Amino acid sequence: MTLYTNTVPKIQVCLLLLFLFIIPLKAQDNSPIRFKTVVIDAGHGGKDSGAVGKLSQEKNIVLSIALKVGAYIKENMPDVEVVYTRSTDVFVPLDERAEIANKAKADLFVSIHGNSISNPKIYGAETFVLGLHRSEENLEVAKKENSVIILEDDYTTKYEGFDPTQPESYIIFELMQNVYLDQSIAVASLVQNQFEQRVGRHNRGVKQAGFLVLRKTSMPGILVEVGFLSNPKEEKYMMSEDGQSYIASGIFRAIRDYRDRFEARNNISVSSPALKSDHAKQSDSALDDSKKEKKASKILFRVQIASSSQKVSNEYGVLALFNDVWMYQENNMYKYTTGSSSSYKEICDILAEVRKKVPDSFIVAFDGSERVPVSSVE
Ligand SMILES: [Zn+2]
């Protein structure tokens, strides 16, 4: 009797403890990383009309396109949340747009704009990522889009003395560390490919410039210039229901492709084959090799190709495409890399090769065993 009454609570306590330990671990190990939220940012609005064509204003065209992109996402990717920075004709300051995206912990920020230039013959679509302009032409686009802050109250304080019209102000974009550059370029390329191959638009390419709206967002982000309002034919196309639908479907498909790659890269598999002992040995010896390399040179660059919540075999998924896979652990994730070099230039060459197989792979840097931001050491 005594034995019975004492034993039952003990078993219950043990079961409870077991339950407490197992459930959180299982939930953590088996929950795949999902692409959850995308922010769609229609440029301008309200008192800020943006570029003005003969028949239209940028703010109206880009709002229609943004709402269509959002509708396509909701219809075809119901598990992805769409957050708009504006869904009506209202003025939203640039820093507020970034704040909306950061608060939503978005996985991607897509800003939609229309272009204008003095030469009416110029037409086509281009997609920007954040960085220092490499041509005057790119700087002009950034100047034009950033100049909207002049309509905001107290813009000199809010943007720390940034003067959108002065080229000197743009030096901040040279000093900036854009940790999302690789992912942003990947999604920008997908948009331009969609425009060219599926929508038949003139592809003006993926470009870099210093856009304030992208600067404060803490996620991969792009700014799409869907076409020129200053070109009469393109203006009519962008004003038409069909034109807007085509442009929106191109942006939507690019986001969908990026989502698929994002999830494939982050979740190799949760039902992967068990790790063979020889693979374990291989990764151990890889670790030894890397230690030797690190002794010779403190910073070592690698190309990250995948990550997973569970340890997987080097023969699994994209890992099978490479014969020098090296793994490290970070934030309870197993992250897989290929190639290594102490030279940034050399790792860029390796990255170019790896990208032919894994388009959104990116460079990671290690100081000893500690991962450090690439931009701090390149
Ligand atoms: Zn604009």
Side-chain angles (χ1 to χ4, degrees), residues 3-181:
L3 183 72
Y4 178 75
T5 49
N6 282 344
T7 314
V8 173
K10 268 185 193 164
I11 289 171
Q12 282 175 340
V13 168
C14 286
L15 281 175
L16 184 68
L17 282 173
L18 204 63
F19 182 79
L20 285 173
F21 275 104
I22 286 174
I23 297 303
L25 282 177
K26 277 203 87 165
Q28 189 178 46
D29 282 351
N30 290 333
S31 56
I33 293 178
R34 293 272 175 239
F35 181 92
K36 293 191 209 80
T37 308
V38 59
V39 171
I40 306 294
D41 174 51
H44 314 278
K47 62 184 175 185
D48 168 22
S49 54
V52 178
K54 283 208 171 77
L55 307 165
S56 65
Q57 295 185 331
E58 179 187 352
K59 67 171 185 176
N60 299 323
I61 287 177
V62 297
L63 179 60
S64 300
I65 294 171
L67 295 175
K68 280 181 191 293
V69 173
Y72 290 144
I73 295 171
K74 284 177 185 170
E75 194 184 324
N76 297 288
M77 302 192 286
D79 49 346
V80 172
E81 191 190 347
V82 175
V83 175
Y84 296 106
T85 54
R86 69 178 182 100
S87 54
T88 56
D89 185 19
V90 290
F91 180 78
V92 184
L94 290 187
D95 63 341
E96 227 169 85
R97 295 168 190 258
E99 217 169 279
I100 291 168
N102 293 344
K103 269 196 190 140
K105 295 191 166 54
D107 298 295
L108 182 64
F109 182 83
V110 178
S111 192
I112 300 173
H113 287 257
N115 220 331
S116 171
I117 200 162
S118 52
N119 182 350
K121 286 183 182 159
I122 291 175
Y123 69 101
E126 56 199 18
T127 300
F128 285 88
V129 299
L130 185 62
L132 185 70
H133 53 275
R134 288 179 185 158
S135 73
E136 280 304 307
E137 199 185 359
N138 295 0
L139 173 63
E140 286 310 311
V141 179
K143 271 187 183 173
K144 194 152 40 69
E145 299 296 4
N146 291 335
S147 68
V148 302
I149 63 169
I150 294 168
L151 299 174
E152 297 179 22
D153 298 329
D154 200 19
Y155 78 90
T156 47
T157 316
K158 266 203 297 189
Y159 298 96
E160 295 131 6
F162 185 91
D163 182 343
T165 63
Q166 293 304 311
E168 301 85 64
S169 281
Y170 289 80
I171 191 79
I172 57 165
F173 294 104
E174 189 176 25
L175 307 171
M176 171 200 65
Q177 297 176 3
N178 182 0
V179 290
Y180 301 105
L181 182 62

